[in-house]
């Protein structure tokens, strides 16, 4: 959506780098997953799923636990065969090709470090399989140890390392062979929050430096948003949306995605008027009117949803200029202070809670909003998004 | 007060196994050791000296003076004993290797079976213990004898024309030991394999290792503690095995357990047979210590 942005069209959010081969109709995908289904007995873990991933892309599979992310990754690695459909890597059909012959390497969720080998031995393992010369192996291992800053730990066994160090050994082992694609299953899942944030940037750095294609599985949306060029949001074995982090956040294509990613206020109603690039939605049951930019083509009287993020809602004791649209009046119900921002919960007469977030950009506030204040919430016409599914 | 009672109680609990070992292991050992230093005699019991505390201190000291290492010296002079020890170690060693060859694949298959059928398989391995060991060895006579089930089957299948002589040979002893001790080997290996994270094998394959190479580089080394434990659990009792060589073995089957039995029951030479037993125990101390070391190391690496 932001890729074909014209000169006078705004772009959605910020992006990490100018890299968008998915908008180039000429670009050939590096990995093509075509109508892949995976069944375990009569349970469908991956359901007729299609995806394309481009060379040097940092791609994230995001979804709740049990939605089939790992299964999809394991099919790419060759540990599971698709029940139907096919997977192409670099143009080659992967059906029947065993894991040890695929041009991909995987970093396991449990790290799967060989407990009877040293850090060095673990990293060298894959290189030895390739029959690399001894000197070359040593050089490559040294290079990898340097890359993950574990030079001093080369002779240790995995059980003598901390969780963060093990994670880096697993990473070094997986990239040592310079695979075309690196698959990472919840690579940061076992780390604590602070280490996780640091490691996110290290991973991104590494991916750029080595010029690899990364496919990362995660259930942590912040992690996916931080690291990935594109995110595939999955639910029950299906892909709900594939888009850049900003698109997924600002332009979700369905109520599921809007709800899954971040915080959202969701309204249900019917379109009351359509035209002039605007849509009026009569929200049930309060019957207030939302006038929004027409981000979807709708007909009058159609049931639609409207999603708006808390930080795009203003909150104030003053009545807005035009209280008849995009405005509501209610009681301050709850205040959640997070330090960097505050989330206000405003309870309307109907009982609906509207969440509005504001950044605490200054340290001191005169007469701050408090419990039981009566407040107005309001937002702009381009602040939310119309959802028809 | 309560604390005191509980601390005394916990000490008592620790004491129980030691008491057990003292009464049922250490004291009998010393009795056997004492007899091994005695001399044969036509009396009841059939050896001298016999300590009689009522005879006074001087008699007690005189009895002590009668002790001698003669029986041990005798063991070194008759090559029969040396051969029997050697042959026992050899038969136990070969049987252990054979048991490993048969048992490892069984343990592997069990560990890789779906989690739902594993308890059933485990049951099947333990099931033979529900029948007497002696009866199961007797059953092998029925299978292995010239007109037994095995020969009948092979002749019926036209694999052979004349019955094979298996019973009363070392082959039958090997079969008997492998069969009898298989569970002791399968269980520790199974437990080592079952604990192993299968994603390690997947990781090896992912790094370019074909499945068979992955087995030798990852699975086997990681199952070694189980293999070592299992082998010792077969080897140690097999060295002193008596029932199997007696029932299935032939006249040429030389095992120390049988020699001991002969000394004790046929020759009524309690003293020499005690010496044989003491030497056997000393021989086995080496593998037992090695076994315990391996166990300790395995437990250490699990931490
Ligand atoms: N080997 C298997 N046999 C049966 N069911 C499986 C197997 N592997 C995964 N599943 C099921 O498939 C679903 C998706 O699993 P998975 O891909 O691991 O989810 P996640 O998105 O959490 O990584 C889960 O419900 C899981 O129980
Ligand atoms: Mg998973």
């Amino acid at each position: 959506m932001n890729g074909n942005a014209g000169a006078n069209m705004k772009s959605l959010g910020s992006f990490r780098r100018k890299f968008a081969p998915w908008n180039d109709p000429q670009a050939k995908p590096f990995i093509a997953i075509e109508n892949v289904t995976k069944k375990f007995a009569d349970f469908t873990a991956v359901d007729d799923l299609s995806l394309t991933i481009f060379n040097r892309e940092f791609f994230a599979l995001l979804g709740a636990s049990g939605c089939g992310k790992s299964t999809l990754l394991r099919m790419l690695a060759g540990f599971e065969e698709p029940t139907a459909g096919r997977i192409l890597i670099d143009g080659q059909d992967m059906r029947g090709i065993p894991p040890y012959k695929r041009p991909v390497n995987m970093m396991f969720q449990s790290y799967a470090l060989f407990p009877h080998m040293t850090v060095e031995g673990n990293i060298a393992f894959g290189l030895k399989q390739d029959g690399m010369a001894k000197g070359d192996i040593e050089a490559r291992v040294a290079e990898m140890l340097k890359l993950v800053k574990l030079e001093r730990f080369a002779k240790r066994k995995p059980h003598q390392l901390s969780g963060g160090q093990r994670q880096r050994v697993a990473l070094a082992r997986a990239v040592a062979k310079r695979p075309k694609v690196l698959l990472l299953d919840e690579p940061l899942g076992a780390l604590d929050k602070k280490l996780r944030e640091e490691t996110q940037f290290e991973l991104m750095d590494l991916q750029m430096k080595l010029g690899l294609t990364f496919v990362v599985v995660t259930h942590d949306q912040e992690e996916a948003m931080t690291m990935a060029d594109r995110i595939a949001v999955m639910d029950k074995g299906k892909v709900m949306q594939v888009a850049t982090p900003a698109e997924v956040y600002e332009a979700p294509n369905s109520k599921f995605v809007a709800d899954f990613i971040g915080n959202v206020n969701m309204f249900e109603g019917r379109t009351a008027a359509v035209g002039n690039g605007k849509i009026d939605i009569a929200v049930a049951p309060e019957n207030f009117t939302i006038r929004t930019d027409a981000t979807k083509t709708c007909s009058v009287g159609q049931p639609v949803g409207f999603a708006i993020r808390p930080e795009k809602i203003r909150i104030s004791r003053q009545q807005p200029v035009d209280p008849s649209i995009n405005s509501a009046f209610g009681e301050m119900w709850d205040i959640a202070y997070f330090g960097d921002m505050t989330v206000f919960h405003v309870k309307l007469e109907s009982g609906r809670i509207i969440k509005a977030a504001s950044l605490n950009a200054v340290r001191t506030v005169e007469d701050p909003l408090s419990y039981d204040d009566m407040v107005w919430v309001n937002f702009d016409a381009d602040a939310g998004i119309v959802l028809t599914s | 007060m309560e604390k005191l009672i509980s601390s005394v109680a916990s000490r008592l609990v620790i004491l129980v196994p030691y008491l057990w070992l003292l009464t049922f292991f250490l004291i009998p050992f010393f009795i056997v050791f004492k007899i091994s230093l005695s001399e044969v005699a036509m009396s009841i019991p059939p050896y001298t000296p016999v300590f009689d505390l009522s005879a006074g201190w001087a008699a007690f000291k005189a009895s002590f003076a009668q002790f001698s290492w003669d029986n041990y010296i005798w063991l070194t002079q008759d090559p029969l004993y040396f051969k029997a020890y050697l042959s026992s170690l050899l038969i136990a060693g070969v049987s252990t290797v054979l048991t490993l060859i048969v048992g490892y694949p069984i343990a592997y298959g069990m560990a890789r079976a779906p989690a739902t059928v594993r308890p059933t398989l485990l049951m099947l391995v333990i099931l033979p213990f529900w029948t007497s060991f002696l009866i199961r060895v007797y059953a092998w006579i029925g299978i292995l004898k010239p007109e037994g089930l095995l020969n009948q089957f092979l002749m019926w299948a036209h694999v052979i024309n004349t019955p094979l002589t298996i019973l009363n040979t070392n082959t039958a002893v090997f079969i008997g030991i492998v069969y009898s001790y298989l569970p002791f080997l399968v269980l520790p290996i199974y437990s080592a394999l079952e604990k192993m994270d299968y994603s390690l094998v997947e990781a090896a394959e992912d790094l370019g290792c074909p499945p068979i190479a992955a087995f030798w580089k990852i699975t086997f080394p990681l199952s070694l503690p189980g293999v070592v434990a299992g082998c010792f659990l077969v080897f140690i009792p097999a060295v002193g095995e008596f029932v199997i060589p007696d029932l299935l073995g032939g006249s040429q089957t030389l095992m120390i357990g049988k020699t001991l039995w002969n000394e004790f029951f046929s020759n009524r030479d309690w003293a020499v047979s005690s010496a044989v037993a003491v030497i056997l125990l000393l021989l086995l101390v080496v593998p037992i210590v090695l076994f315990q070391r391996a166990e300790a190391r395995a437990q250490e690496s699990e931490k």
Side-chain angles (χ1 to χ4, degrees):
Chain A
M1 208 170 270
N2 63 350
N4 49 21
N8 55 358
M9 210 177 145
K10 289 188 206 163
S11 172
L12 284 177
S14 46
F15 45 91
R16 181 152 76 100
R17 51 174 179 165
K18 285 210 169 69
F19 174 82
W22 48 89
N23 287 323
D24 176 3
Q26 242 75 61
K28 258 190 70 183
F30 194 67
I31 300 174
I33 299 167
E34 298 175 351
N35 305 98
V36 165
T37 297
K38 177 68 192 180
K39 289 187 175 163
F40 294 111
D42 51 3
F43 175 78
T44 309
V46 173
D47 192 0
D48 194 24
L49 184 147
S50 297
L51 270 183
T52 52
I53 298 169
F54 291 85
N55 197 12
R56 297 175 173 240
E57 187 175 0
F58 200 127
F59 193 91
L61 295 167
L62 175 65
S65 176
C67 71
K69 309 176 298 282
S70 295
T71 306
L72 185 59
L73 208 65
R74 291 171 57 80
M75 284 194 282
L76 288 174
F79 300 127
E80 311 278 0
E81 277 289 340
T83 313
R86 60 175 195 162
I87 292 172
L88 300 165
I89 298 179
D90 207 5
Q92 195 190 358
D93 191 344
M94 285 290 128
R95 176 159 289 275
I97 298 186
Y100 56 94
K101 287 189 182 153
R102 295 198 181 196
V104 303
N105 278 141
M106 179 147 159
M107 187 182 145
F108 288 75
Q109 190 164 4
S110 60
Y111 305 150
L113 297 178
F114 306 131
H116 56 306
M117 297 182 196
T118 59
V119 167
E120 242 173 13
N122 268 279
I123 298 174
F125 187 88
L127 304 171
K128 283 185 190 152
Q129 299 311 311
D130 286 356
M132 205 188 230
K134 206 158 173 272
D136 294 348
I137 292 181
E138 277 166 20
R140 179 73 65 85
V141 169
E143 182 192 335
M144 288 297 135
L145 285 170
K146 190 152 171 262
L147 193 68
V148 295
K149 304 188 195 82
L150 285 174
E151 295 100 321
R152 289 188 305 124
F153 301 94
K155 303 279 186 239
R156 295 258 187 109
K157 290 274 182 72
H159 69 96
Q160 297 166 314
L161 300 176
S162 73
Q165 290 165 340
R166 277 182 220 179
Q167 191 263 358
R168 302 218 294 277
V169 177
L171 186 64
R173 186 180 72 178
V175 293
K177 292 185 74 171
R178 300 276 157 77
K180 292 176 181 169
V181 181
L182 187 64
L183 310 170
L184 304 100
D185 195 350
E186 310 259 2
L188 311 176
L191 306 183
D192 57 54
K193 194 164 159 37
K194 191 131 178 97
L195 194 56
R196 199 156 60 211
E197 280 165 10
E198 282 170 29
T199 315
Q200 282 172 7
F201 289 100
E202 281 178 20
L203 272 184
M204 287 151 68
D205 225 37
L206 189 85
Q207 189 251 348
M208 297 275 257
K209 226 187 271 173
L210 299 178
L212 302 179
T213 307
F214 269 32
V215 183
V216 175
V217 158
T218 176
H219 65 269
D220 182 336
Q221 41 156 314
E222 271 180 43
E223 195 174 296
M225 306 262 280
T226 310
M227 297 194 292
D229 292 312
R230 280 191 307 159
I231 297 172
V233 181
M234 288 182 63
D235 181 41
K236 297 192 193 99
K238 284 186 184 293
V239 165
M240 305 306 286
Q241 182 170 18
V242 185
T244 64
E247 283 168 342
V248 167
Y249 187 75
E250 301 291 4
N253 65 354
S254 60
K255 286 172 200 159
F256 175 84
V257 175
D259 210 29
F260 186 76
I261 307 281
N263 254 320
V264 76
N265 293 291
M266 192 75 78
F267 299 92
E268 305 282 343
R270 280 175 187 279
T271 51
V274 178
N276 284 336
K278 300 270 188 247
I279 296 176
D280 283 5
I281 303 169
V283 174
E286 295 91 339
N287 213 23
F288 65 79
T289 305
I290 290 172
R291 179 164 297 163
T292 170
D293 287 349
T295 49
K296 278 252 163 60
T297 44
C298 298
S299 51
V300 177
Q302 186 184 342
V304 290
F306 179 76
I308 181 165
R309 302 286 179 192
E311 72 277 9
K312 299 195 173 60
I313 296 182
R314 285 183 297 267
I315 184 162
S316 144
R317 293 196 186 95
Q318 260 86 53
Q319 181 173 325
V321 184
D322 183 358
S324 66
I325 57 160
N326 295 351
S327 302
F329 188 62
E331 180 192 353
M332 185 65 77
W333 191 251
D334 235 334
I335 298 177
Y337 177 73
F338 291 106
D340 53 347
M341 59 180 231
T342 305
V343 177
F344 301 99
H345 292 215
V346 178
K347 192 177 186 186
L348 306 188
E349 216 179 328
S350 60
R352 182 199 293 278
I353 302 272
I354 292 182
K355 283 176 273 181
S358 68
L359 197 65
N360 298 323
V362 289
R363 285 180 57 229
T364 51
V365 204
E366 246 176 71
D367 190 16
L369 294 170
S370 68
Y371 290 96
D372 302 331
D373 278 353
M374 296 305 286
V375 291
W376 283 92
V377 290
N378 103 305
F379 53 87
D380 294 336
D382 67 349
I385 188 153
V386 180
L387 298 168
T388 51
S389 62
Chain B
M1 187 64 205
E2 229 167 77
K3 239 186 189 169
L4 188 75
I5 291 175
S6 82
S7 98
V8 168
S10 72
R11 251 156 233 224
L12 277 178
V13 168
I14 298 171
L15 219 71
V16 169
Y18 284 104
L19 274 176
W20 179 276
L21 284 177
L22 187 74
T23 352
F24 295 108
F25 181 79
L26 217 52
I27 293 176
F29 173 76
F30 273 110
I31 293 173
V32 169
F33 182 62
K34 189 212 129 212
I35 297 173
S36 77
L37 298 174
S38 313
E39 246 176 273
V40 210
M42 294 297 275
S43 61
I44 295 173
Y47 55 84
T48 60
V50 181
F51 284 92
D52 188 357
L53 287 178
S54 60
W57 180 241
F60 190 82
K61 262 178 39 181
S63 300
F64 242 96
Q66 285 181 38
F67 278 155
S68 77
W69 296 99
D70 285 354
N71 296 318
Y72 292 94
I73 294 163
W74 165 249
L75 290 190
T76 62
Q77 281 165 349
D78 189 337
L80 166 81
Y81 299 103
F82 179 71
K83 276 194 202 150
Y85 281 120
L86 198 67
S87 155
S88 291
L89 292 175
L90 217 64
I91 289 178
V94 171
S95 309
T96 305
V97 172
L98 292 175
T99 315
L100 184 63
I101 292 170
V102 176
Y104 197 102
I106 295 176
Y108 186 87
M110 283 168 62
R112 292 282 172 271
T116 45
V117 300
R118 272 182 231 159
T120 315
L121 296 174
L122 215 51
M123 260 295 286
L124 289 175
V125 170
I126 302 168
L127 201 65
F129 288 124
W130 290 9
T131 349
S132 150
F133 167 68
L134 205 61
I135 292 174
R136 283 182 285 129
V137 178
Y138 264 112
W140 275 102
I141 298 179
I143 296 172
L144 297 177
K145 65 185 174 186
E147 66 279 18
L149 290 175
L150 181 67
N151 276 318
Q152 278 180 19
F153 172 77
L154 289 177
M155 296 208 325
W156 170 83
H158 294 286
V159 180
I160 50 169
N161 292 323
T162 47
L164 300 170
T165 2
I166 302 174
L167 193 63
N168 302 328
T169 66
N170 279 356
T171 312
V173 176
F174 292 140
I175 293 175
I177 294 178
V178 169
Y179 164 77
S180 303
Y181 291 99
L182 197 61
F184 297 106
L185 185 115
V186 168
L187 294 179
I189 297 179
Y190 165 78
S191 121
L193 285 172
E194 206 228 16
K195 266 192 303 211
M196 200 186 108
D197 180 3
Y198 190 68
S199 65
L200 294 177
V201 176
E202 287 184 340
E205 287 186 27
D206 186 67
L207 292 166
C209 201
I212 294 180
F215 172 81
W216 288 112
K217 285 179 180 153
I218 308 297
T219 311
F220 190 73
L222 289 177
S223 67
L224 264 184
V227 170
V228 171
C231 285
F232 280 127
L233 285 178
V234 174
F235 181 80
I236 293 167
V239 172
E241 183 54 58
F242 162 70
V243 172
I244 296 170
D246 191 54
L247 293 182
L248 303 180
S251 50
Q252 88 287 13
T253 307
L254 204 53
M255 280 193 85
I256 200 68
K258 236 173 107 178
T259 311
L260 199 150
W261 194 90
N262 281 336
E263 288 299 345
F264 197 88
F265 291 101
S266 311
N267 298 350
R268 278 183 58 79
D269 192 339
W270 288 26
V272 165
S273 62
S274 295
V276 168
V278 170
I279 294 291
L280 176 62
L281 195 79
L282 291 180
L283 270 181
L284 289 180
V285 160
V286 178
I288 288 171
V289 167
L290 286 177
F291 170 68
Q292 295 212 314
R293 281 251 191 92
E295 284 286 278
R297 222 179 311 133
Q299 278 182 351
E300 192 60 36
S301 72
E302 262 166 43
K303 276 177 197 160

